[in-house]
Amino acid sequence: MNNIKAKRPGPLASVRLFFTDRDKLEPAVITLLAAIFAILMGVGLIFIVSKDPVTSTKNFLLGPFLRTYNFYYLLVAMVPITFTGLALCIIYQLKYMSLIVDSSFYTGAIVATAIGVRLALPAGWHPAVAMLAAGLAGGLIGTLPAILKIKWRANELVSSLMFNYVFYFFGSFVILYFLRDRNQTILASMPFQKTFALPKLVENTQLHAGFIIAAVFVVLVSIFLFRTKWGYQIRITGANPKFAAYAGIPVASVAIFAHFVSGFIGGIGGAVEMSGLYRAFIWQMNPSYAWDGVIVAMLARKNPKFVPVSAFFLAYMRVGADFMSRRGDVAFEFITLLQGIIILILASDKIANYFKARRLRRNALAAEAALADGATGISGVAGKGGRA
Amino acid sequence: MELQVLRSHGHTIIFISHKLNEIFKFCDRVSVMRDGKLIGTHNVADVDRQTISNEMVGREVLLSVSKDKAKAGDKVLVAKDLSYIDDFGIPALDHVSLALRKSEILGVVGVDGNGQSELVRILTGSARTLSGSVVVKGKDLTNQKPGALRRAGVAHIAEDRMTVGTALPASIEDNLMADRYFHPEYKGRAGFLKRAAMAQAAAEIVTTFDIRCKSAKQPVASLSGGNMQKVVIGREFTADADILVIAQPTRGVDVGAIEFIHKRIIEMRDQGKAILLVSSDLQEVMSMSDSLVVMNSGKIVAYFEDASTTTDKELGLYMLGLKKQNPEEIGKVLHE
């Protein structure tokens, strides 16, 4: 009855397991269908609003692959949303709703700007020091909503959204008063030191070493969540905080620590973006990569392993929509509609459980039929009582 | 009884229960269901409890608990003067003292909501006492966190397995390891967990405690009530604790699992564990316990060193607050 495999399956076996274990496969299929459905909706929309729908559709769907520049740009666009997606995976594993990673990312970029402009450090060390400092700042900021929630039961979603304003304006203040380049007409910081730039992976493209750093973090966060005691504590606390406390897990410190790690990753993301992509801080508004991170983490089903896939998908849609809007009459903003559709589908428990409910019902009916076919399913004392 | 009045007025009543007492008290006919199928229908007058139980489980079950006489050992947990005021300002626990001894089951009887839950929560670190102390094996652990009490050797079967005793969406394996993942046999260097060792240990518990499942990786939510409770018991009984605080071990569990759980509790006692058993099933506490305390309105109102010297009628008088022992008699529960 209990055929339990005590040994952990190898990598190949776990891939096979994934495709045979329907409880894992079905959510993946639904996610894929949501993505496909969103794309189809997008195409439908294009046909409604565009004067030249065929060209626009082609630009939207194939744009990212038509030009090498576009493709590299897609890879670059993956980097920040991979960081915020990973950060949110940790928060969602904890079953918190904080969006403070937006502040962590933005402040991380500000801290990195300060270090990139003001400090003189050898190449290599310069971005590394900036990332560490940005990570620490992001991590500390990240803990704030968790502390408020634990100390005063303040709703973490509300408090994190408020903090996002606070840290956004604080960041702008720092740029404006301490780092601004007064020779520029737009709001921009003074240029970064040469040593601050991350190396490019491919010459004459935007693809920078931050892509590799993001990939490394995907692996690190996966290990952190599923192989370490901290990840275990976070997952158990998320599954049932009352149970976790009862079992002796220090739930308050776990929540704060998880938020620190999440904010740390967000902060590093901000620094990587600065040193990888820019020569000075030139954001005129908050790019809000945390909101993209929400979609990435949801598409990845809060599993860091799938974050690169969902980040690729989101970046693909973005780059496609960007390319199409610049060459046609469909506005870039239509992408937000598609994102909304994806979130609606993924957030619906009923859709999520559709396959499972159908399968369970079928199995039960099949078992019933097998029983009726003459198998003597009732044993022992049942005979004594007889069926009424 | 209102149901009997309704029946005498000509109403038809369908009464659904897994408590044999209730069935035999006021039902005329009984049908047994198991695994979604009708197993049998009888006139209650023509059938005995054993037959009904067997039909419910699908095999012969032992209804009565068999156990040797307790050989109570040293005191391992002494709680003195515990008090708790609930959210409505009512004293739920009113200066309660008791001691647990090795190889002894101390039963707590009382109508639900007379301070039993609060007593359990304070003894296991889930609630804070306003006065007094909890001393475990000579160490003062008053108002420490659940983790500290667990490390000191207090295991706890929570009264509600759905909201506290398990994490429903987490796997059976993760549920079984939640109190021990940091032990050296499961935790390697730098915070890494030895997942293979954890899976191995979980699989062993699944086998020993007969948890019916396809795999230890499936979520606890997919198990039946009885098997869920076996997950809780499997974890707490393998925690290597000297003291077991057990609340409602068989609430909403089928007859077969009850038999299994009762056997295990007696086994733990015979291994020398000190056990506090709280249950709203009077029959269960009376048959399992070596000694008994009765609680009413947050106070201990009676103590019986030998549980077999009292009857359910006498306990009923204490439970309803109609009778009370003098402080000297009650104080004997401390064994000083």
Side-chain angles (χ1 to χ4, degrees):
Chain A
M1 180 129 289
N2 304 313
N3 54 339
I4 285 135
K5 289 192 198 87
K7 253 191 80 186
R8 195 155 61 77
L12 249 176
S14 40
V15 168
R16 196 169 348 113
L17 235 136
F18 181 83
F19 281 102
T20 48
D21 183 352
R22 294 182 145 236
D23 281 324
K24 283 187 177 156
L25 184 63
E26 281 162 7
V29 170
I30 289 190
T31 311
L32 199 69
L33 288 179
I36 293 170
F37 186 67
I39 296 269
L40 290 179
M41 283 289 283
V43 173
L45 269 172
I46 294 170
F47 270 85
I48 292 171
V49 299
S50 180
K51 285 201 188 73
D52 183 4
V54 178
T55 316
S56 285
T57 304
K58 195 183 119 207
N59 286 340
F60 172 53
L61 293 181
L62 301 176
F65 307 112
L66 285 177
R67 281 146 203 269
T68 34
Y69 174 86
N70 281 1
F71 186 70
Y72 283 121
Y73 182 57
L74 189 163
L75 297 184
V76 171
M78 278 174 70
V79 174
I81 59 180
T82 298
F83 278 106
T84 51
L86 288 174
L88 280 155
C89 281
I90 295 174
I91 299 294
Y92 291 161
Q93 288 284 355
L94 189 69
K95 290 256 166 65
Y96 271 53
M97 295 297 290
S98 325
L99 272 165
I100 191 70
V101 67
D102 201 45
S103 296
S104 300
F105 190 93
Y106 189 80
T107 310
I110 302 288
V111 169
T113 301
I115 290 172
V117 171
R118 297 271 182 228
L119 285 190
L121 288 163
W125 284 105
H126 203 165
V129 167
M131 277 175 219
L132 197 64
L136 287 175
L140 291 176
I141 289 168
T143 60
L144 292 174
I147 292 171
L148 291 186
K149 164 118 171 179
I150 288 155
K151 278 258 172 204
W152 293 292
R153 291 201 198 168
N155 182 299
E156 76 278 11
L157 178 62
V158 175
S159 69
S160 61
L161 289 175
M162 311 269 244
F163 274 125
N164 286 348
Y165 284 106
V166 174
F167 285 103
Y168 168 64
F169 286 113
F170 183 73
S172 308
F173 159 79
V174 170
I175 296 289
L176 199 58
Y177 280 81
F178 302 107
L179 299 165
R180 185 173 188 187
D181 186 349
R182 309 224 174 253
N183 298 325
Q184 300 278 349
T185 47
I186 55 159
L187 178 65
S189 75
M190 279 172 284
F192 299 142
Q193 315 270 345
K194 287 274 182 292
T195 49
F196 181 63
L198 284 176
K200 294 270 181 273
L201 291 182
V202 182
E203 281 307 314
N204 298 323
T205 68
Q206 288 184 312
L207 189 61
H208 54 83
F211 190 80
I212 308 269
I213 299 173
V216 169
F217 267 90
V218 170
V219 178
L220 288 180
V221 175
S222 300
I223 292 173
F224 173 76
L225 273 178
F226 295 105
R227 294 273 172 269
T228 70
K229 82 168 204 206
W230 302 290
Y232 179 81
Q233 291 175 323
I234 290 169
R235 287 184 294 114
I236 293 291
T237 304
N240 181 355
K242 278 187 186 156
F243 167 75
Y246 149 85
I249 292 171
V251 283
S253 358
V254 167
I256 293 172
F257 180 65
H259 273 76
F260 177 83
V261 175
S262 168
F264 186 83
I265 294 163
I268 288 193
V272 164
E273 196 71 352
M274 280 300 119
S275 59
L277 214 49
Y278 298 101
R279 287 192 210 100
F281 182 96
I282 50 164
W283 287 343
Q284 303 305 305
M285 50 188 269
N286 186 352
S288 288
Y289 287 120
W291 292 96
D292 300 336
V294 171
I295 303 173
V296 170
M298 277 181 82
L299 275 171
R301 304 246 167 211
K302 63 191 179 184
N303 186 340
K305 264 177 270 173
F306 300 122
V307 161
V309 184
S310 52
F312 181 88
F313 175 71
L314 189 63
Y316 160 76
M317 288 210 309
R318 285 284 169 79
V319 173
D322 184 44
F323 188 66
M324 169 189 70
S325 69
R326 277 193 262 152
R327 285 160 180 266
D329 52 358
V330 184
F332 174 75
E333 281 68 26
F334 104 120
I335 197 81
T336 50
L337 230 124
L338 305 194
Q339 290 172 7
I341 290 166
I342 293 177
I343 289 191
L344 273 180
I345 295 176
L346 294 183
S348 155
D349 282 340
K350 185 139 189 193
I351 297 176
N353 288 325
Y354 171 74
F355 283 114
K356 193 174 180 183
R358 201 178 62 161
R359 168 165 52 95
L360 292 180
R361 209 165 44 234
R362 262 193 206 156
N363 287 353
L365 288 176
E368 183 101 317
L371 211 66
D373 276 353
T376 47
I378 310 152
S379 60
V381 287
K384 251 197 280 175
R387 298 185 81 176
Chain B
M1 185 74 185
E2 201 65 31
L3 288 175
Q4 277 144 342
V5 176
L6 281 170
R7 176 175 61 185
S8 68
H9 286 191
H11 290 280
T12 303
I13 300 168
I14 298 179
F15 185 82
I16 299 167
S17 171
H18 65 270
K19 290 198 174 119
L20 293 179
N21 285 342
E22 296 176 345
I23 303 292
F24 280 88
K25 211 177 227 165
F26 40 71
C27 294
D28 302 305
R29 289 196 305 139
V30 55
S31 291
V32 179
M33 288 188 75
R34 187 175 78 236
D35 295 334
K37 289 193 279 290
L38 194 61
I39 305 296
T41 301
H42 316 269
N43 286 318
V44 170
D46 311 336
V47 77
D48 59 4
R49 283 160 193 249
Q50 190 66 49
T51 311
I52 300 286
S53 306
N54 291 354
E55 290 192 359
M56 282 165 76
V57 182
R59 61 176 169 81
E60 290 280 329
V61 275
L62 282 173
L63 284 182
S64 56
V65 185
S66 66
K67 56 167 180 153
D68 301 330
K69 208 149 173 54
K71 306 177 197 77
D74 305 335
K75 285 188 282 182
V76 282
L77 183 149
V78 181
K80 276 192 184 158
D81 201 27
L82 303 180
S83 305
Y84 186 83
I85 301 210
D86 69 14
D87 292 345
F88 303 103
I90 299 161
L93 206 59
D94 196 357
H95 302 281
V96 164
S97 303
L98 55 78
L100 298 181
R101 298 189 293 175
K102 275 186 169 172
S103 305
E104 184 188 52
I105 302 178
L106 175 64
V108 179
V109 298
V111 179
D112 266 2
N114 275 278
Q116 302 96 314
S117 305
E118 289 76 11
L119 174 65
V120 165
R121 286 174 54 213
I122 289 173
L123 290 181
T124 55
S126 304
R128 296 173 66 83
T129 176
L130 294 169
S131 61
S133 61
V134 176
V135 177
V136 180
K137 291 185 266 180
K139 213 167 134 196
D140 186 353
L141 289 172
T142 316
N143 288 340
Q144 294 294 308
K145 294 249 166 70
L149 279 139
R150 281 182 179 275
R151 281 192 293 278
V154 182
H156 173 201
I157 291 173
E159 59 181 3
D160 191 341
R161 62 178 166 267
M162 307 283 272
T163 58
V164 179
T166 60
L168 292 177
S171 67
I172 298 171
E173 181 184 319
D174 280 353
N175 270 278
L176 290 173
M177 294 292 122
D179 64 334
R180 65 198 65 170
Y181 61 92
F182 53 85
H183 289 184
E185 58 261 53
Y186 308 120
K187 205 190 92 189
R189 264 175 298 169
F192 279 91
L193 292 175
K194 298 174 183 163
R195 298 295 308 201
M198 289 172 85
Q200 179 83 44
E204 270 164 32
I205 297 175
V206 166
T207 316
T208 356
F209 285 83
D210 192 26
I211 300 165
R212 308 281 168 87
C213 58
K214 284 201 199 81
S215 138
K217 307 277 181 209
Q218 82 190 60
V220 167
S222 64
L223 298 179
S224 69
N227 282 302
M228 245 182 231
Q229 189 69 350
K230 286 188 207 160
V231 171
V232 180
I233 285 170
R235 182 184 57 235
E236 302 302 325
F237 282 12
T238 53
D240 206 19
D242 300 321
I243 299 150
L244 303 171
V245 178
I246 303 178
Q248 315 295 356
T250 58
R251 181 184 273 176
V253 161
D254 66 275
V255 191
I258 291 178
E259 178 197 22
F260 178 88
I261 291 167
H262 284 169
K263 262 196 213 159
R264 290 287 172 165
I265 295 177
I266 301 292
E267 257 174 53
M268 294 311 276
R269 185 203 71 172
D270 293 343
Q271 283 173 25
K273 314 285 185 191
I275 298 174
L276 183 79
L277 175 67
V278 180
S279 170
S280 42
D281 182 346
L282 187 59
Q283 226 51 52
E284 175 173 62
V285 197
M286 285 184 69
S287 61
M288 298 287 296
S289 304
D290 302 312
S291 310
L292 279 177
V293 291
V294 187
M295 291 191 72
N296 178 264
S297 316
K299 291 191 203 58
I300 291 180
V301 290
Y303 170 62
F304 300 94
E305 171 131 33
D306 183 350
S308 59
T309 61
T310 180
T311 61
D312 49 359
K313 287 220 173 61
E314 189 186 11
L315 289 174
L317 295 174
Y318 286 110
M319 283 163 72
L320 296 171
L322 300 172
K323 226 175 138 186
K324 200 177 176 208
Q325 287 182 352
N326 64 44
E328 206 170 292
E329 282 173 292
I330 296 170
K332 282 184 188 156
V333 69
L334 282 168
H335 302 290
E336 276 170 342

